[in-house]
Short mmCIF file of all heavy atoms in Angstrom, two decimals:
data_model
loop_
_atom_site.label_atom_id
_atom_site.label_comp_id
_atom_site.label_asym_id
_atom_site.label_seq_id
_atom_site.Cartn_x
_atom_site.Cartn_y
_atom_site.Cartn_z
N ARG A 1 6.06 24.34 22.99
CA ARG A 1 5.97 25.37 24.07
C ARG A 1 4.59 25.33 24.73
O ARG A 1 4.44 25.73 25.89
CB ARG A 1 6.30 26.75 23.47
CG ARG A 1 7.76 26.97 23.22
CD ARG A 1 8.04 28.45 22.96
NE ARG A 1 7.51 28.88 21.67
CZ ARG A 1 8.19 28.75 20.52
NH1 ARG A 1 9.39 28.21 20.51
NH2 ARG A 1 7.67 29.16 19.39
N ARG A 2 3.57 24.93 24.00
CA ARG A 2 2.22 24.93 24.51
C ARG A 2 1.75 23.58 25.09
O ARG A 2 0.76 23.56 25.81
CB ARG A 2 1.20 25.39 23.44
CG ARG A 2 1.45 26.79 22.91
CD ARG A 2 0.17 27.34 22.27
NE ARG A 2 -0.38 26.47 21.24
CZ ARG A 2 0.01 26.47 19.97
NH1 ARG A 2 0.98 27.28 19.56
NH2 ARG A 2 -0.54 25.66 19.08
N HIS A 3 2.40 22.53 24.72
CA HIS A 3 1.96 21.21 25.12
C HIS A 3 3.12 20.36 25.65
O HIS A 3 4.26 20.56 25.24
CB HIS A 3 1.36 20.45 23.89
CG HIS A 3 0.16 21.13 23.29
ND1 HIS A 3 -1.12 20.93 23.75
CD2 HIS A 3 0.09 22.05 22.28
CE1 HIS A 3 -1.96 21.69 23.01
NE2 HIS A 3 -1.23 22.35 22.12
N SER A 4 2.81 19.44 26.56
CA SER A 4 3.84 18.58 27.10
C SER A 4 4.13 17.36 26.24
O SER A 4 5.14 16.68 26.46
CB SER A 4 3.42 18.14 28.52
OG SER A 4 2.17 17.42 28.48
N THR A 5 3.28 17.06 25.28
CA THR A 5 3.46 15.92 24.39
C THR A 5 4.70 16.11 23.55
O THR A 5 4.95 17.21 23.03
CB THR A 5 2.23 15.74 23.51
OG1 THR A 5 1.05 15.62 24.31
CG2 THR A 5 2.35 14.54 22.59
N PRO A 6 5.48 15.07 23.30
CA PRO A 6 6.65 15.18 22.42
C PRO A 6 6.25 15.56 20.99
O PRO A 6 5.36 14.91 20.42
CB PRO A 6 7.27 13.78 22.43
CG PRO A 6 6.79 13.16 23.74
CD PRO A 6 5.42 13.72 23.93
N VAL A 7 6.85 16.62 20.47
CA VAL A 7 6.57 17.06 19.10
C VAL A 7 7.93 17.22 18.42
O VAL A 7 8.82 17.88 18.97
CB VAL A 7 5.80 18.42 19.09
CG1 VAL A 7 5.53 18.84 17.65
CG2 VAL A 7 4.54 18.33 19.87
N ARG A 8 8.05 16.64 17.21
CA ARG A 8 9.32 16.70 16.52
C ARG A 8 9.06 17.15 15.05
O ARG A 8 8.06 16.80 14.46
CB ARG A 8 10.00 15.32 16.47
CG ARG A 8 10.20 14.68 17.80
CD ARG A 8 10.84 13.31 17.69
NE ARG A 8 9.94 12.34 17.02
CZ ARG A 8 10.23 11.06 16.85
NH1 ARG A 8 11.41 10.59 17.25
NH2 ARG A 8 9.38 10.25 16.25
N ALA A 9 10.00 17.88 14.49
CA ALA A 9 10.03 18.17 13.06
C ALA A 9 10.82 17.06 12.38
O ALA A 9 11.96 16.78 12.81
CB ALA A 9 10.65 19.53 12.81
N ARG A 10 10.23 16.45 11.34
CA ARG A 10 10.90 15.36 10.64
C ARG A 10 11.05 15.72 9.18
O ARG A 10 10.28 16.50 8.60
CB ARG A 10 10.08 14.10 10.77
CG ARG A 10 9.84 13.64 12.20
CD ARG A 10 11.10 13.14 12.90
NE ARG A 10 11.64 11.95 12.32
CZ ARG A 10 11.29 10.72 12.65
NH1 ARG A 10 10.37 10.52 13.61
NH2 ARG A 10 11.81 9.67 12.09
N SER A 11 12.07 15.15 8.51
CA SER A 11 12.34 15.44 7.14
C SER A 11 11.29 14.83 6.23
O SER A 11 10.86 13.70 6.44
CB SER A 11 13.72 14.91 6.76
OG SER A 11 13.94 14.95 5.37
N ALA A 12 10.89 15.57 5.19
CA ALA A 12 9.94 15.04 4.21
C ALA A 12 10.51 13.84 3.45
O ALA A 12 9.77 12.94 3.00
CB ALA A 12 9.54 16.13 3.21
N ASP A 13 11.84 13.76 3.36
CA ASP A 13 12.47 12.63 2.69
C ASP A 13 12.27 11.34 3.49
O ASP A 13 12.35 10.22 2.91
CB ASP A 13 13.94 12.85 2.48
CG ASP A 13 14.21 14.02 1.51
OD1 ASP A 13 13.32 14.31 0.69
OD2 ASP A 13 15.29 14.62 1.60
N GLY A 14 12.03 11.46 4.78
CA GLY A 14 11.91 10.26 5.61
C GLY A 14 10.50 9.93 6.04
O GLY A 14 10.28 9.26 7.05
N ILE A 15 9.53 10.38 5.22
CA ILE A 15 8.13 10.16 5.60
C ILE A 15 7.79 8.67 5.76
O ILE A 15 6.98 8.29 6.61
CB ILE A 15 7.16 10.87 4.62
CG1 ILE A 15 5.77 10.86 5.18
CG2 ILE A 15 7.21 10.24 3.25
CD1 ILE A 15 4.80 11.74 4.44
N ALA A 16 8.35 7.81 4.95
CA ALA A 16 8.07 6.36 5.09
C ALA A 16 8.49 5.86 6.43
O ALA A 16 7.78 5.05 7.05
CB ALA A 16 8.78 5.61 3.95
N ASP A 17 9.68 6.31 6.92
CA ASP A 17 10.15 5.86 8.23
C ASP A 17 9.23 6.39 9.35
O ASP A 17 8.94 5.72 10.32
CB ASP A 17 11.56 6.34 8.46
CG ASP A 17 12.53 5.64 7.51
OD1 ASP A 17 12.26 4.53 7.10
OD2 ASP A 17 13.59 6.28 7.21
N VAL A 18 8.78 7.65 9.20
CA VAL A 18 7.91 8.25 10.19
C VAL A 18 6.60 7.49 10.29
O VAL A 18 6.10 7.13 11.36
CB VAL A 18 7.63 9.73 9.88
CG1 VAL A 18 6.63 10.33 10.88
CG2 VAL A 18 8.91 10.53 9.92
N LEU A 19 6.00 7.14 9.11
CA LEU A 19 4.74 6.44 9.10
C LEU A 19 4.87 5.00 9.58
O LEU A 19 3.92 4.46 10.16
CB LEU A 19 4.13 6.44 7.66
CG LEU A 19 3.52 7.80 7.26
CD1 LEU A 19 3.11 7.76 5.81
CD2 LEU A 19 2.32 8.10 8.15
N ALA A 20 6.03 4.41 9.43
CA ALA A 20 6.27 3.08 9.93
C ALA A 20 6.13 3.02 11.46
O ALA A 20 5.81 1.97 12.04
CB ALA A 20 7.64 2.54 9.51
N GLU A 21 6.37 4.17 12.12
CA GLU A 21 6.32 4.25 13.60
C GLU A 21 5.00 4.88 14.07
O GLU A 21 4.80 5.03 15.27
CB GLU A 21 7.46 5.10 14.10
CG GLU A 21 8.86 4.62 13.69
CD GLU A 21 9.92 5.66 14.00
OE1 GLU A 21 9.55 6.80 14.41
OE2 GLU A 21 11.09 5.34 13.89
N ALA A 22 4.12 5.23 13.15
CA ALA A 22 2.92 6.04 13.50
C ALA A 22 1.68 5.17 13.58
O ALA A 22 1.57 4.07 12.98
CB ALA A 22 2.70 7.13 12.47
N ASP A 23 0.68 5.68 14.34
CA ASP A 23 -0.68 5.11 14.37
C ASP A 23 -1.61 5.80 13.42
O ASP A 23 -2.64 5.24 13.04
CB ASP A 23 -1.22 5.21 15.78
CG ASP A 23 -0.36 4.46 16.80
OD1 ASP A 23 -0.26 3.22 16.66
OD2 ASP A 23 0.22 5.12 17.69
N GLY A 24 -1.26 7.05 13.06
CA GLY A 24 -2.18 7.80 12.19
C GLY A 24 -1.44 8.83 11.36
O GLY A 24 -0.32 9.27 11.70
N LEU A 25 -2.04 9.22 10.24
CA LEU A 25 -1.56 10.21 9.32
C LEU A 25 -2.62 11.33 9.20
O LEU A 25 -3.77 11.04 8.85
CB LEU A 25 -1.28 9.62 7.95
CG LEU A 25 -1.03 10.64 6.79
CD1 LEU A 25 0.22 11.48 7.03
CD2 LEU A 25 -0.98 9.92 5.46
N ALA A 26 -2.25 12.56 9.47
CA ALA A 26 -3.14 13.72 9.28
C ALA A 26 -2.59 14.53 8.12
O ALA A 26 -1.51 15.12 8.21
CB ALA A 26 -3.22 14.55 10.53
N HIS A 27 -3.31 14.53 7.00
CA HIS A 27 -2.84 15.25 5.80
C HIS A 27 -3.44 16.65 5.74
O HIS A 27 -4.67 16.80 5.70
CB HIS A 27 -3.25 14.47 4.53
CG HIS A 27 -2.94 15.24 3.28
ND1 HIS A 27 -3.92 15.57 2.40
CD2 HIS A 27 -1.79 15.78 2.83
CE1 HIS A 27 -3.38 16.27 1.38
NE2 HIS A 27 -2.06 16.42 1.64
N CYS A 28 -2.55 17.67 5.75
CA CYS A 28 -2.98 19.06 5.82
C CYS A 28 -2.31 19.91 4.77
O CYS A 28 -1.88 21.05 5.04
CB CYS A 28 -2.68 19.60 7.24
SG CYS A 28 -3.37 18.65 8.57
N THR A 29 -2.21 19.44 3.56
CA THR A 29 -1.71 20.20 2.42
C THR A 29 -2.80 20.29 1.36
O THR A 29 -3.78 19.56 1.45
CB THR A 29 -0.43 19.60 1.81
OG1 THR A 29 -0.80 18.59 0.85
CG2 THR A 29 0.46 19.01 2.89
N PRO A 30 -2.64 21.13 0.34
CA PRO A 30 -3.70 21.20 -0.70
C PRO A 30 -3.68 20.04 -1.66
O PRO A 30 -4.55 19.93 -2.51
CB PRO A 30 -3.30 22.52 -1.46
CG PRO A 30 -2.41 23.25 -0.57
CD PRO A 30 -1.67 22.23 0.22
N THR A 31 -2.72 19.12 -1.59
CA THR A 31 -2.66 18.00 -2.52
C THR A 31 -3.94 17.17 -2.39
O THR A 31 -4.37 16.83 -1.30
CB THR A 31 -1.45 17.09 -2.21
OG1 THR A 31 -0.25 17.88 -2.32
CG2 THR A 31 -1.38 15.95 -3.18
N GLY A 32 -4.53 16.90 -3.55
CA GLY A 32 -5.78 16.19 -3.59
C GLY A 32 -6.96 17.08 -3.95
O GLY A 32 -8.01 16.58 -4.37
N MET A 33 -6.80 18.41 -3.82
CA MET A 33 -7.83 19.32 -4.29
C MET A 33 -7.91 19.27 -5.78
O MET A 33 -6.99 18.83 -6.47
CB MET A 33 -7.52 20.77 -3.84
CG MET A 33 -7.56 21.00 -2.36
SD MET A 33 -7.02 22.64 -1.83
CE MET A 33 -8.23 23.66 -2.65
N ARG A 34 -9.03 19.74 -6.35
CA ARG A 34 -9.18 19.72 -7.82
C ARG A 34 -8.03 20.48 -8.51
O ARG A 34 -7.57 20.07 -9.56
CB ARG A 34 -10.51 20.39 -8.18
CG ARG A 34 -11.70 19.60 -7.72
CD ARG A 34 -12.99 20.17 -8.32
NE ARG A 34 -14.14 19.39 -7.86
CZ ARG A 34 -14.53 18.22 -8.32
NH1 ARG A 34 -13.79 17.64 -9.28
NH2 ARG A 34 -15.57 17.60 -7.85
N GLU A 35 -7.58 21.58 -7.85
CA GLU A 35 -6.48 22.37 -8.46
C GLU A 35 -5.12 21.77 -8.20
O GLU A 35 -4.14 22.16 -8.79
CB GLU A 35 -6.53 23.79 -7.91
CG GLU A 35 -7.77 24.57 -8.22
CD GLU A 35 -8.95 24.18 -7.29
OE1 GLU A 35 -8.68 23.52 -6.25
OE2 GLU A 35 -10.11 24.53 -7.59
N HIS A 36 -5.03 20.79 -7.29
CA HIS A 36 -3.77 20.17 -6.94
C HIS A 36 -3.93 18.66 -6.80
O HIS A 36 -3.76 18.07 -5.73
CB HIS A 36 -3.24 20.74 -5.60
CG HIS A 36 -3.19 22.23 -5.53
ND1 HIS A 36 -2.14 22.94 -6.12
CD2 HIS A 36 -4.02 23.17 -5.03
CE1 HIS A 36 -2.36 24.23 -5.91
NE2 HIS A 36 -3.50 24.41 -5.25
N PRO A 37 -4.31 17.98 -7.91
CA PRO A 37 -4.56 16.54 -7.78
C PRO A 37 -3.31 15.73 -7.48
O PRO A 37 -2.18 16.19 -7.76
CB PRO A 37 -5.08 16.19 -9.20
CG PRO A 37 -4.46 17.24 -10.11
CD PRO A 37 -4.42 18.49 -9.28
N GLY A 38 -3.52 14.55 -6.92
CA GLY A 38 -2.40 13.68 -6.66
C GLY A 38 -2.49 13.00 -5.29
O GLY A 38 -3.45 13.22 -4.52
N LEU A 39 -1.49 12.20 -4.99
CA LEU A 39 -1.40 11.48 -3.73
C LEU A 39 -0.22 12.03 -2.94
O LEU A 39 0.91 12.06 -3.47
CB LEU A 39 -1.18 10.01 -4.04
CG LEU A 39 -1.36 8.96 -2.95
CD1 LEU A 39 -2.84 8.97 -2.48
CD2 LEU A 39 -0.97 7.57 -3.45
N PRO A 40 -0.41 12.48 -1.72
CA PRO A 40 0.68 13.16 -0.95
C PRO A 40 1.76 12.21 -0.45
O PRO A 40 2.82 12.62 -0.07
CB PRO A 40 -0.05 13.83 0.19
CG PRO A 40 -1.26 13.02 0.40
CD PRO A 40 -1.66 12.54 -0.97
N VAL A 41 1.42 10.94 -0.34
CA VAL A 41 2.39 9.92 0.11
C VAL A 41 2.27 8.70 -0.81
O VAL A 41 1.25 8.49 -1.47
CB VAL A 41 2.14 9.48 1.57
CG1 VAL A 41 2.34 10.62 2.53
CG2 VAL A 41 0.76 8.85 1.74
N ALA A 42 3.31 7.92 -0.87
CA ALA A 42 3.23 6.65 -1.66
C ALA A 42 2.25 5.69 -1.07
O ALA A 42 2.11 5.58 0.18
CB ALA A 42 4.64 6.01 -1.70
N ALA A 43 1.48 5.01 -1.92
CA ALA A 43 0.45 4.13 -1.46
C ALA A 43 0.98 3.02 -0.57
O ALA A 43 0.27 2.58 0.38
CB ALA A 43 -0.33 3.54 -2.66
N ASP A 44 2.18 2.56 -0.84
CA ASP A 44 2.71 1.42 -0.13
C ASP A 44 3.07 1.73 1.36
O ASP A 44 3.46 0.80 2.09
CB ASP A 44 3.88 0.75 -0.85
CG ASP A 44 5.06 1.71 -1.03
OD1 ASP A 44 5.07 2.78 -0.48
OD2 ASP A 44 5.99 1.32 -1.79
N VAL A 45 3.03 3.03 1.76
CA VAL A 45 3.31 3.33 3.18
C VAL A 45 2.03 3.26 4.02
O VAL A 45 2.09 3.43 5.26
CB VAL A 45 3.98 4.71 3.34
CG1 VAL A 45 5.29 4.78 2.54
CG2 VAL A 45 3.05 5.84 2.95
N LEU A 46 0.87 3.07 3.36
CA LEU A 46 -0.39 2.99 4.09
C LEU A 46 -0.68 1.54 4.41
O LEU A 46 -0.67 0.67 3.53
CB LEU A 46 -1.51 3.58 3.23
CG LEU A 46 -1.32 5.02 2.76
CD1 LEU A 46 -2.46 5.46 1.84
CD2 LEU A 46 -1.18 5.97 3.93
N ARG A 47 -0.91 1.27 5.68
CA ARG A 47 -1.16 -0.11 6.14
C ARG A 47 -2.44 -0.18 6.91
O ARG A 47 -2.92 0.86 7.41
CB ARG A 47 0.02 -0.60 6.99
CG ARG A 47 0.27 0.25 8.20
CD ARG A 47 1.47 -0.25 9.02
NE ARG A 47 1.43 0.32 10.37
CZ ARG A 47 1.81 1.53 10.70
NH1 ARG A 47 2.37 2.34 9.77
NH2 ARG A 47 1.68 1.94 11.94
N PRO A 48 -3.04 -1.34 7.07
CA PRO A 48 -4.42 -1.46 7.64
C PRO A 48 -4.56 -0.90 9.06
O PRO A 48 -5.66 -0.48 9.38
CB PRO A 48 -4.69 -2.94 7.60
CG PRO A 48 -3.83 -3.48 6.50
CD PRO A 48 -2.58 -2.64 6.55
#
């Protein structure tokens, strides 16, 4: 409603497919904090 750029809600189950079409990943969850350790996506979806 505020921007003309295409914005879509995508399923968390399909994150690998979304990243395959993406130029960048912006991670905005607490995963990775000391209190919430871990990796928010599988390593193999990250490409150079």
Side-chain angles (χ1 to χ4, degrees):
R1 284 192 290 274
R2 297 200 307 274
H3 299 273
S4 59
T5 304
V7 182
R8 306 179 293 183
R10 303 290 295 271
S11 169
D13 294 336
I15 190 169
D17 294 332
V18 176
L19 284 174
E21 303 169 352
D23 299 297
L25 167 65
H27 172 238
C28 304
T29 84
T31 302
M33 293 174 63
R34 293 189 181 282
E35 297 80 13
H36 307 279
L39 195 62
V41 297
D44 60 9
V45 302
L46 304 176
R47 59 182 198 278

